[in-house]
Amino acid sequence: MAAFQASSIFCLMGSPNQMRFQKRVIKATTNNTPKFQVSPPTSPPPKLPTKSLIQNLENDYFHSSIKINTTGNMSDDPTVIPKLYAIMEAIADRVEMHKNIGAQRDNWNHLLLISINAITLTAATMAGLAAAASTISTAKAPFMALKLSSTFLYVSATAMLAVTNKIQPSQLAEEQQNAARLFKQLHAQIQTTLSLNNNSVSNNISNVDVNEAIDKVLALDRAYPLPLLGEMLDKFPKTVEPTVWWPRVQNHQNRVRGVEGDLVHGNNGWNEKLEEEMREVARVLKSKDVPEYLRLTEIALKVNGVLAISGPISTALAALGSNFVGSSSNLGVWGVIVGVICGALASVVNTLQHGGQVGMVVEMYRSNAGFFRLIQESIESNLREKQVERRENGGVFELKVALQLGRSLSELNLAVFPEKFASKLF
């Protein structure tokens, strides 16, 4: 998880003083002008809109009712800042939802693990007692009760294991924890943009920022869905791909702002040496780190698949064996053996899979691969922009990449090495 700690550093780069919002001054005007007049951009934002506004916002976005300013960074639209605050409010709500549901699904994993193990071990004990009771001629009623109870418990454990292995609660919990962290990161990025805009002489925020923020929110919603029925991610995919929680089409839209500053003339912090270093970093990420974590994901996925099949098969065999306990033929002997041994084996398999949280490991490796893919695409996106004044500032971008990879600038400058960046993080 250190990769995530490294990648979330930028949520904390803005100081608390920068994030503080000033109060907006509303001035009463004459009857010939609007009733209220908003002070210059250096004054703070208006009162936050209600949560319901974000639903209309997303709807308007898809119907292209928001006019995107593609000619530059300046915008005279007075609703831009309120829209960003509405998006921030929706993001904060999503953070709480994912945080709460992640805790709930983590509880599912622990409770289901303990419950299923208790059921299988109880059923195995009852199968053994039923075999002992079958040898006593006066214990026919206890024998039948123990035998039927053991069979019923094994059938119940089989059904519970099948459902648990299908949804993988430990993996679900990891998904929600990642979503909460990434939404917090996005919330902090918008705060930084608004704070730097307040400290700027001109208004640098436009509808482009609004649409980019909405794109990122919707991309996160797709990557980490909340519902289980119909929306849950496939826990056993045929092909392994990195987790993608960002808009795949990234366009600088002739503007770069936030910590990068306004459009500038000149090299904007870029030179041939820095471009070559960034190309080499992207090459190492693409050829070594991303494939390595996809390989680890495939291994963990195969182990999880074997365990997911072994558990229900063991309990099903144990249920079948317990059903033959007490038979006069050799089936009675084998029924006791299968009923007891398969029940114990099922509890061991269940503990390895869900106690070891193999599903969480699968999601962790997928997310690590996505983390390195994101850095790679960010570098390539900047390098594809031929006009350097439209790129992110070179010095700031180099610092961000270094911190995301857990390295200092001097170490990043030596990135033309064959080792993987992951070795510094994991």
Side-chain angles (χ1 to χ4, degrees):
M1 298 306 294
F4 301 132
Q5 295 171 359
S7 65
S8 61
I9 291 176
F10 302 107
C11 297
L12 307 174
M13 288 182 64
S15 67
N17 292 333
Q18 287 178 319
M19 302 303 173
R20 187 177 296 115
F21 301 120
Q22 306 169 355
K23 297 181 178 178
R24 184 174 291 277
V25 180
I26 306 297
K27 298 180 180 180
T29 59
T30 63
N31 295 331
N32 296 330
T33 59
K35 187 175 181 180
F36 295 103
Q37 181 177 355
V38 179
S39 60
T42 55
S43 61
K47 184 179 179 181
L48 294 179
T50 60
K51 291 182 182 179
S52 60
L53 178 57
I54 189 60
Q55 297 176 350
N56 295 332
L57 243 178
E58 293 178 353
N59 204 32
D60 292 343
Y61 175 76
F62 282 117
H63 289 84
S64 302
S65 61
I66 298 176
K67 296 182 179 179
I68 302 176
N69 179 9
T70 59
T71 59
N73 295 336
M74 305 300 294
S75 174
D76 296 327
D77 188 351
T79 66
V80 168
I81 291 179
K83 286 175 182 177
L84 283 178
Y85 274 97
I87 295 171
M88 286 176 61
E89 185 176 342
I91 290 173
D93 186 59
R94 279 170 166 81
V95 169
E96 288 302 314
M97 284 194 297
H98 284 283
K99 185 177 177 182
N100 295 339
I101 292 178
Q104 178 197 59
R105 290 173 179 176
D106 188 50
N107 288 336
W108 285 1
N109 187 58
H110 296 296
L111 292 174
L112 288 169
L113 168 65
I114 295 171
S115 300
I116 293 173
N117 279 350
I119 290 173
T120 53
L121 292 176
T122 302
T125 303
M126 285 184 173
L129 292 175
S134 66
T135 62
I136 303 174
S137 59
T138 59
K140 294 300 181 182
F143 160 71
M144 289 302 298
L146 290 170
K147 175 181 175 179
L148 293 176
S149 297
S150 176
T151 304
F152 175 75
L153 287 175
Y154 275 135
V155 171
S156 301
T158 303
M160 293 176 66
L161 268 175
V163 173
T164 303
N165 292 343
K166 175 66 176 177
I167 66 175
Q168 293 292 312
S170 67
Q171 189 169 346
L172 289 174
E174 179 71 9
E175 290 173 7
Q176 304 313 314
Q177 290 170 5
N178 289 340
R181 178 183 60 82
L182 293 168
F183 272 118
K184 284 181 181 179
Q185 187 180 63
L186 179 57
H187 188 277
Q189 289 172 356
I190 298 176
Q191 276 188 325
T192 302
T193 300
L194 288 168
S195 179
L196 291 173
N197 180 74
N198 287 339
N199 295 329
S200 176
V201 177
S202 59
N203 180 16
N204 291 326
I205 297 180
S206 69
N207 276 317
V208 174
D209 297 272
V210 174
N211 289 315
E212 282 189 352
I214 294 176
D215 277 339
K216 292 177 180 178
V217 169
L218 299 180
L220 273 168
D221 284 341
R222 288 190 296 270
Y224 300 104
L226 283 170
L228 289 179
L229 299 177
E231 295 292 335
M232 184 182 71
L233 300 177
D234 186 5
K235 298 300 180 283
F236 299 96
K238 294 181 179 178
T239 57
V240 177
E241 294 291 338
T243 306
V244 176
W245 61 82
W246 62 93
R248 298 310 301 269
V249 180
Q250 296 184 354
N251 193 344
H252 290 278
Q253 292 289 349
N254 294 335
R255 91 294 164 275
V256 181
R257 64 173 50 73
V259 291
E260 303 86 0
D262 301 332
L263 291 178
V264 295
H265 297 287
N267 60 11
N268 194 21
W270 288 88
N271 53 53
E272 291 184 3
K273 180 182 177 182
L274 179 58
E275 287 188 358
E276 184 59 32
E277 289 174 354
M278 290 296 103
R279 285 193 183 93
E280 184 61 23
V281 170
R283 186 195 65 78
V284 173
L285 290 172
K286 184 177 182 179
S287 62
K288 295 182 179 293
D289 290 278
V290 174
E292 173 68 12
Y293 278 97
L294 289 179
R295 184 184 67 83
L296 293 173
T297 304
E298 289 179 353
I299 294 174
L301 189 62
K302 289 178 181 178
V303 172
N304 198 32
V306 171
L307 294 174
I309 295 173
S310 301
I313 288 178
S314 298
T315 53
L317 289 174
L320 184 63
S322 65
N323 188 52
F324 289 100
V325 171
S327 298
S328 57
S329 63
N330 290 334
L331 288 176
V333 177
W334 284 105
V336 176
I337 295 174
V338 172
V340 174
I341 293 179
C342 287
L345 178 62
S347 64
V348 171
V349 170
N350 185 46
T351 301
L352 286 175
Q353 182 181 14
H354 299 292
Q357 302 190 58
V358 183
M360 180 274 292
V361 174
V362 173
E363 180 60 28
M364 181 185 70
Y365 284 144
R366 285 183 66 243
S367 297
N368 287 344
F371 167 71
F372 289 115
R373 175 68 62 83
L374 174 60
I375 300 177
Q376 172 202 329
E377 290 188 4
S378 178
I379 294 173
E380 293 173 348
S381 176
N382 273 278
L383 294 178
R384 278 197 301 267
E385 179 56 68
K386 299 304 181 182
Q387 301 183 40
V388 292
E389 68 274 9
R390 295 179 179 176
R391 298 178 182 176
E392 188 170 347
N393 180 271
V396 176
F397 184 70
E398 181 185 23
L399 176 63
K400 286 171 64 175
V401 171
L403 291 175
Q404 285 178 315
L405 295 174
R407 297 179 179 273
S408 65
L409 285 175
S410 59
E411 290 175 324
L412 188 66
N413 291 335
L414 299 176
V416 242
F417 47 64
E419 67 173 294
K420 301 185 292 293
F421 290 105
S423 61
K424 189 72 175 179
L425 293 172
F426 307 100

